Amino acid sequence: MKLLKPMIFLFCLVPLARLIWLGAYDGLGANPIEFITRSTGTWALVFLCITLAMTPLRLITGLSAWIKLRRMLGLFCFFYACIHFLIWFWLDQNLDLQSMWNDVVKRPFITMGFLTLVLLTPLALTSNQWSVRQLGRRWTILHKLVYLIACTAILHYWWHKAGKNDLDTVSIYGAIILLLLICRIPIVRNILQRKRNSVT
Ligand code: HEM
């Protein structure tokens, strides 16, 4: 675990390194803003899915190592979501707060993206041991927001693609998230746990 965590940390930086590399060598295509927004949005969603997969993986394998990676992976989701938002705010909205707000209230898919980022923020800010100690039981309740975040993130993506009649990829992400959320239902948790116990 000692070596695994830093290795995974470096691995999580690969999407960012790739964007920097492509940017430096003129590889971002005809519309670099769109390329970066899409790439960072996709990676934020991928990290959200991986973070949500940690609990089912612990239940299936019985290894607590998965949970030790959860915080770092969740923070990478927030990290890529912040870059995604900042690129849009800077290059699309010219850092104009009024223009940003107009777009947030005008376009439902932007509303959902914004809501997702707003909901992610308290989770990222309280993802440290100090907050866990200070908040006690309230920490667990607060972090249940991740289920709502999974839904708003998919709605954001869905709305974006619905206008373009291109729902294939978003349907796959939607199915993965649905499956990961089903694993949280107590009866399903028990089945997964019992299955493991009968194997070991
Ligand atoms: C304030 C917050 C957000 C804003 C303003 C925003 C804005 C956008 C915009 C403008 C696009 C379209 C890019 C394009 O096709 O040119 C987009 C796509 C996307 N966003 Fe967001 N977003 C936000 C938050 C998020 C969050 C938190 C996530 C994930 C957790 C996310 C995931 C995605 C995904 C997966 C796409 C589609 C990428 C693709 O087309 O392949 N976004 N977002």
Side-chain angles (χ1 to χ4, degrees), residues 34 37-38 41-42 44-45 81 84-85 88 109-110 113-114 116-117 120 153 156-157 160-161 164:
E34 190 180 284
T37 318
R38 285 190 169 175
T42 304
L45 187 61
H84 179 65
F85 163 72
W88 169 81
F109 108 86
I110 297 287
F114 192 75
T116 309
L117 190 66
L120 271 171
H156 167 61
Y157 194 1
H160 170 51
K161 291 294 182 187
K164 300 178 177 178

Side-chain angles (χ1 to χ4, degrees), residues 8 12 43-57 66 69-70 73-74 176 180 184:
I8 293 177
C12 293
W43 280 106
L45 187 61
V46 168
F47 278 109
L48 182 63
C49 293
I50 301 176
T51 308
L52 282 170
M54 293 300 108
T55 301
L57 281 171
W66 299 108
L69 296 172
R70 193 173 53 183
L73 295 164
I176 292 171
L180 291 170
R184 312 290 168 125

Side-chain angles (χ1 to χ4, degrees), residues 3-77:
L3 212 68
L4 187 68
K5 216 171 168 183
M7 273 167 65
I8 293 177
F9 180 87
L10 290 177
F11 202 67
C12 293
L13 286 171
V14 169
L16 177 68
R18 174 179 166 262
L19 281 179
I20 295 171
W21 177 272
L22 290 175
Y25 291 97
D26 228 7
L28 293 173
N31 190 340
I33 303 176
E34 190 180 284
F35 189 100
I36 301 173
T37 318
R38 285 190 169 175
S39 171
T40 48
T42 304
W43 280 106
L45 187 61
V46 168
F47 278 109
L48 182 63
C49 293
I50 301 176
T51 308
L52 282 170
M54 293 300 108
T55 301
L57 281 171
R58 196 215 39 211
L59 289 172
I60 293 166
T61 63
L63 297 172
S64 60
W66 299 108
I67 299 301
K68 289 189 182 136
L69 296 172
R70 193 173 53 183
R71 176 169 55 180
M72 183 176 79
L73 295 164
L75 284 172
F76 268 107
C77 163

Side-chain angles (χ1 to χ4, degrees), residues 5-197:
K5 216 171 168 183
M7 273 167 65
I8 293 177
F9 180 87
L10 290 177
F11 202 67
C12 293
L13 286 171
V14 169
L16 177 68
R18 174 179 166 262
L19 281 179
I20 295 171
W21 177 272
L22 290 175
Y25 291 97
D26 228 7
L28 293 173
N31 190 340
I33 303 176
E34 190 180 284
F35 189 100
I36 301 173
T37 318
R38 285 190 169 175
S39 171
T40 48
T42 304
W43 280 106
L45 187 61
V46 168
F47 278 109
L48 182 63
C49 293
I50 301 176
T51 308
L52 282 170
M54 293 300 108
T55 301
L57 281 171
R58 196 215 39 211
L59 289 172
I60 293 166
T61 63
L63 297 172
S64 60
W66 299 108
I67 299 301
K68 289 189 182 136
L69 296 172
R70 193 173 53 183
R71 176 169 55 180
M72 183 176 79
L73 295 164
L75 284 172
F76 268 107
C77 163
F78 183 64
F79 174 66
Y80 283 105
C82 285
I83 303 178
H84 179 65
F85 163 72
L86 286 172
I87 292 292
W88 169 81
F89 182 43
W90 176 29
L91 301 176
D92 224 62
Q93 305 295 319
N94 297 315
L95 301 176
D96 180 344
L97 277 172
Q98 187 58 50
S99 152
M100 180 197 95
W101 187 246
N102 290 344
D103 208 14
V104 168
V105 291
K106 197 175 89 196
R107 292 200 285 171
F109 108 86
I110 297 287
T111 316
M112 275 303 146
F114 192 75
L115 180 64
T116 309
L117 190 66
V118 168
L119 293 171
L120 271 171
T121 306
L123 301 205
L125 293 177
T126 59
S127 67
N128 48 69
Q129 278 308 316
W130 183 82
S131 300
V132 177
R133 273 196 305 274
Q134 293 299 311
L135 293 172
R137 242 186 70 79
R138 281 171 299 162
W139 188 91
T140 316
I141 296 168
L142 177 69
H143 280 250
K144 290 212 188 300
L145 270 182
V146 72
Y147 309 137
L148 181 60
I149 289 168
C151 298
T152 56
I154 279 296
L155 270 177
H156 167 61
Y157 194 1
W158 187 280
W159 239 314
H160 170 51
K161 291 294 182 187
K164 300 178 177 178
N165 247 334
D166 173 20
L167 292 172
D168 291 355
T169 317
V170 65
S171 304
I172 296 171
Y173 279 106
I176 292 171
I177 290 212
L178 185 66
L179 196 72
L180 291 170
L181 293 184
I182 288 174
C183 291
R184 312 290 168 125
I185 299 172
I187 187 161
V188 180
R189 280 179 85 113
N190 289 343
I191 293 170
L192 289 175
Q193 235 157 354
R194 234 177 291 151
K195 258 211 156 117
R196 189 192 78 229
N197 292 341

